[in-house]
Amino acid sequence: MKRLMLGLAIVTGQAVAAAPFADGDRVVFLGDSITRGGRYHEFVRDYYVTRFPDRDIRFINSGVSGDVAPGGLRRVPTDVTALEPTQVFVHFGMNDINRELYAASPTRDRLVAAEKAQVDYRVHLGQLADAIRSAVPQASLSYLPPTPYDDTTVVVSYPRNADAWAKKNNIGCSAGLALMAGHVLARAAKEDAFVVDWYTPLKSHVTAHQAEDPHYRIVRFDRVHPEAAGHSMMAWKFLEAQGVPSLVSAVTLDAAAKTGSAENASLDGLTFADGTIAFDLRANALPFPVASEANPFLSEFAVEETLNRETLQVKGLTAGGHELRIDGEPVGVWSAEELAQGVSLGFNEKTPQYRQAQEVFALSSAYRDREQRLRNERTAPDYAARRAALLAEEPSIRAAARPRSHRYELKDCRKTLTAAVATTVLLPSPFLDNLKRERAVMESLDPMNLTWTCRVTAGLDDVGNTNAVQRLGGWERPDMELRGHTLGHWLSGMAVLGGCEGGGGDRAAMARDKAAVAVHQLKLCQDALGTGWVGAFPESDIDKIIAGVRVWAP
């Protein structure tokens, strides 16, 4: 425990800030299998090609499975110098630590050997750094500390073909890696070199999640190699440490003043007419694509705020819902209040720019797979030529990331719905017959009956009251977990009926009046509860769902 706490204390040191990669940079990642797997630097490349598609930046995988710092030293001529890099990132430690030395009850010999491995790592890392600076003095050298070994997760099963070493739990190894990470941070600070603290945030993330689920992990069953989500977190912290810009594009409109502007984008053809705002937008960047496995952690790591800020803000809109369409395709509906605050589009899967970014992501992944396979043949006589040929294909990913112009239309939902309802006429047919029957049923329902269970939940009525209202049965019984559904469907239907015939006529007016009675009752219920909640079932049902207790369908 003492060793672990010492390592963590060292790891929390401050990293030296570094500028984002520039046009013309050739970036080499020298490391072991975690680097050879290529995902963290693949995801870093995904950010750069979508954010800066006009920058010619090359990302080169120089990882070798099972390698250690002395092995990296031997590979400097072929995997660093020959590539003429402007930036070199060194990532070793997971194998240098000699994981087999760690166990729940280690022998004295193992403890001594583990301490020697720590000393050797420091010496070898220094020798590697000196060799790189001597071989490529024009390049900037940066450090990537080792990631945690997960000796706390509970693995219940292993693949049939799993190697024996992968089934072992080398308890204490993570604490040893914390010491190594601390040394790397200290070395970087002494040399005024750029460094990314990976150990601390990944370890903290895993510890927090394993407190709720002991089987949780972001590494493979071998406890060593991060999965896609883990590599994504590594890339996010890398980009955060570089201080890269968060902005994709930002559009700000004022419907009342009929003005608009855009940041990191070109805004043209802006019009305000009959409840519709339209404009053409060509952003200078695409949204940042991420692996689907990492989606559950976007909020935890504030990825949208720090790396993928694509916003639309519209002030001065009339109250109600407004639908956004891009190139004629529906993207979402937001209230005037939400749009005045600004809505985020960075991870909206319905936008064409999101889909384009996903196409870039697929191309980048395919490139990484080819590069990874090529690393397996690094001893082949024609390896250097094949590597150069592959590297020459990387610009095609940037070409696919060039943003396109899109047509935006923001429409007042009420005007759109009213126009559709008012201009649609049903001729004598089964459809017209159905409309008449359904309209008669809708009009026959009493809003006081429909809102009764809401009033009971709010304490405004007694479940035993049978005089003032007609108690409804079936799904609306007061002991039924589906209660309230009918009211929601009825309100939607009455809203449509209230807009029929352009909103004129006695029947349309009656529909609006009945709906207004129901809405008024709901407001009384909300005020009585005083928490903002309103519904036919109590808010505690939501708490049950969060706690994993089965509730039918609130």
Side-chain angles (χ1 to χ4, degrees):
M1 179 64 71
K2 182 177 180 181
R3 179 183 301 173
L4 172 60
M5 293 306 295
L6 173 61
L8 289 176
I10 296 174
V11 168
T12 55
Q14 292 293 318
V16 176
F21 296 133
D23 186 33
D25 269 338
R26 292 172 65 89
V27 188
V28 168
F29 293 89
L30 183 70
D32 50 33
S33 58
I34 295 176
T35 296
R36 176 191 164 276
R39 302 229 70 177
Y40 73 82
H41 47 83
E42 171 198 346
F43 299 151
V44 170
R45 176 176 59 220
D46 290 341
Y47 171 87
Y48 274 94
V49 297
T50 53
R51 195 59 48 90
F52 306 108
D54 294 329
R55 291 187 186 181
D56 184 4
I57 306 171
R58 305 298 174 91
F59 297 85
I60 307 171
N61 184 340
S62 285
V64 170
S65 295
D67 207 2
V68 291
L73 177 62
R74 289 190 291 272
R75 293 190 287 114
V76 166
T78 56
D79 276 348
V80 178
T81 309
L83 301 172
E84 301 179 342
T86 60
Q87 304 255 5
V88 180
F89 289 83
V90 174
H91 176 55
F92 288 100
M94 185 61 75
N95 300 311
D96 301 77
I97 197 170
N98 194 350
R99 296 187 300 275
E100 292 294 321
L101 296 174
Y102 290 83
S105 300
T107 64
R108 179 176 178 78
D109 288 345
R110 285 192 174 191
L111 290 173
V112 172
E115 292 295 339
K116 183 178 185 302
Q118 292 282 341
V119 174
D120 289 346
Y121 176 70
R122 298 172 187 178
V123 172
H124 296 153
L125 189 63
Q127 293 172 342
L128 175 59
D130 291 342
I132 292 174
R133 290 194 177 98
S134 175
V136 283
Q138 78 282 1
S140 173
L141 175 65
S142 302
Y143 295 99
L144 301 174
T147 51
Y149 173 90
D150 194 345
D151 51 12
T152 52
T153 188
V154 178
V155 180
V156 295
S157 63
Y158 296 89
R160 290 184 178 180
N161 61 345
D163 293 330
W165 69 266
K167 296 181 180 181
K168 292 182 179 179
N169 184 4
N170 304 117
I171 296 174
C173 185
S174 188
L177 286 167
L179 284 175
M180 286 185 166
H183 167 71
V184 175
L185 285 178
R187 173 179 288 277
K190 182 179 180 180
E191 299 175 0
D192 198 25
F194 176 65
V195 64
V196 182
D197 178 9
W198 275 341
Y199 187 96
T200 302
L202 266 62
K203 182 65 176 178
S204 298
H205 167 83
V206 170
T207 299
H209 283 264
Q210 287 179 354
E212 298 182 1
D213 177 9
H215 303 98
Y216 180 82
R217 53 189 169 90
I218 57 172
V219 293
R220 298 179 61 200
F221 63 88
D222 61 15
R223 304 174 183 270
V224 171
H225 298 94
E227 297 276 23
H231 274 283
S232 297
M233 296 171 192
M234 293 161 65
W236 299 339
K237 301 309 290 187
F238 183 103
L239 294 166
E240 178 185 312
Q242 279 193 312
V244 298
S246 63
L247 183 66
V248 178
S249 66
V251 176
T252 304
L253 307 175
D254 190 323
K258 292 183 169 47
T259 59
S261 62
E263 188 176 357
N264 202 41
S266 298
L267 177 68
D268 298 300
L270 178 61
T271 60
F272 300 82
D274 195 25
T276 298
I277 303 174
F279 57 91
D280 296 310
L281 187 76
R282 180 188 289 275
N284 295 334
L286 292 178
F288 178 31
V290 301
S292 58
E293 297 91 335
N295 285 338
F297 312 110
L298 295 176
S299 296
E300 179 182 344
F301 284 82
V303 176
E304 194 162 45
E305 297 84 353
T306 59
L307 297 174
N308 201 33
R309 199 162 49 85
E310 182 185 13
T311 60
L312 171 65
Q313 183 182 36
V314 188
K315 300 178 180 179
L317 291 169
T318 56
H322 297 263
E323 180 188 43
L324 175 65
R325 288 177 174 259
I326 302 181
D327 296 340
E329 297 294 324
V331 169
V333 176
W334 295 274
S335 69
E337 292 78 9
E338 290 172 322
L339 285 161
Q341 292 295 320
V343 297
S344 177
L345 300 176
F347 288 114
N348 189 315
E349 299 179 3
K350 297 179 181 179
T351 71
Q353 56 267 32
Y354 177 92
R355 293 194 294 270
Q356 184 184 354
Q358 289 301 309
E359 293 171 2
V360 174
F361 181 87
L363 290 173
S364 179
S365 294
Y367 180 92
R368 190 266 308 180
D369 289 343
R370 292 175 60 194
E371 186 178 44
Q372 185 183 27
R373 289 194 296 270
L374 183 61
R375 291 297 293 164
N376 293 336
E377 303 173 34
R378 64 187 182 280
T379 58
D382 61 345
Y383 172 75
R386 291 166 61 191
R387 181 185 228 179
L390 179 62
L391 192 60
E393 297 179 21
E394 195 175 27
S396 64
I397 303 174
R398 292 196 304 279
R402 290 196 175 91
R404 303 159 188 160
S405 181
H406 299 288
R407 183 66 174 173
Y408 284 61
E409 293 177 299
L410 186 66
K411 298 185 177 183
D412 187 326
C413 292
R414 293 177 304 173
K415 292 194 174 185
T416 303
L417 176 61
T418 300
V421 173
T423 57
T424 301
V425 178
L426 293 178
L427 300 176
S429 63
F431 300 106
L432 181 59
D433 295 339
N434 285 341
L435 174 61
K436 291 178 178 179
R437 281 193 298 270
E438 292 168 2
R439 186 172 196 167
V441 171
M442 297 282 289
E443 292 173 345
S444 71
L445 296 175
D446 187 337
M448 294 301 292
N449 296 339
L450 289 168
T451 57
W452 178 66
T453 51
C454 295
R455 295 200 306 278
V456 169
T457 298
L460 298 179
D461 212 333
D462 187 347
V463 71
N465 184 359
T466 59
N467 298 320
V469 298
Q470 177 186 351
R471 293 174 53 176
L472 302 179
W475 283 8
E476 295 303 317
R477 293 199 324 267
D479 61 343
M480 173 62 66
E481 290 180 338
L482 286 171
R483 62 189 184 277
H485 275 57
T486 305
L487 172 61
H489 293 306
W490 180 83
L491 279 171
S492 298
M494 294 304 273
V496 174
L497 292 177
C500 285
E501 303 164 0
D506 293 340
R507 301 189 76 174
M510 182 178 67
R512 292 196 298 272
D513 291 344
K514 283 197 167 189
V517 171
V519 172
H520 177 65
Q521 290 299 317
L522 292 175
K523 180 64 168 61
L524 292 176
C525 293
Q526 189 177 51
D527 290 345
L529 288 170
T531 64
W533 175 262
V534 61
F537 53 86
E539 189 174 6
S540 58
D541 280 7
I542 303 299
D543 297 330
K544 291 179 181 178
I545 294 174
I546 295 174
V549 178
R550 183 184 181 279
V551 178
W552 190 350

